[in-house]
Amino acid sequence: MSEIDKNLYVYYRALCENAALLQSRVEHMQTDLCDKSGIASALKRRPEAIDGAYTWMEVYFAVPAGFDATLSDAVRLADLSPLIDGERHTEYFMDISSCA
């Protein structure tokens, strides 16, 4: 498996009161990342709030080696940290083909 075959998933919590601003900032950040690097992305959110906060998920598809640094810079420029409750957690997954 090459680095390009991995998808990056980033999840975190944000207070419900920050939802609209967070969504706007992340969408702009992801559009800018796509324009500059060609990386496709998605933004997801759990439908229910728990203790006044939603769990959010950013997905970046087929990321190259070194994308972590690119994303870190983008997050800083988008000023996401004040809107997030806790830390951003990252995990990589790869697609598995089935025989079906």
Side-chain angles (χ1 to χ4, degrees):
M1 271 292 128
S2 68
E3 288 292 324
I4 199 87
D5 296 318
K6 295 180 182 177
N7 298 326
L8 175 61
Y9 293 80
V10 183
Y11 60 96
Y12 48 87
R13 292 174 43 89
L15 296 176
C16 295
E17 63 199 46
N18 293 331
L21 183 56
L22 177 74
Q23 181 177 348
S24 175
R25 288 186 185 180
V26 172
E27 287 174 344
H28 283 95
M29 178 187 75
Q30 288 182 327
T31 298
D32 190 51
L33 282 168
C34 183
D35 290 346
K36 290 179 179 175
S37 66
I39 300 294
S41 60
L43 178 62
K44 301 174 183 290
R45 190 199 79 196
R46 283 199 174 147
E48 72 283 343
I50 298 173
D51 297 327
Y54 290 117
T55 300
W56 294 80
M57 174 80 69
E58 297 168 30
V59 184
Y60 300 91
F61 301 98
V63 297
F67 183 73
D68 288 11
T70 301
L71 181 58
S72 181
D73 288 344
V75 167
R76 183 180 44 75
L77 290 172
D79 198 24
L80 298 184
S81 294
L83 303 175
I84 294 173
D85 182 27
E87 296 189 29
R88 290 169 53 91
H89 305 277
T90 60
E91 294 189 32
Y92 285 92
F93 288 83
M94 60 185 197
D95 291 330
I96 303 295
S97 298
S98 68
C99 296

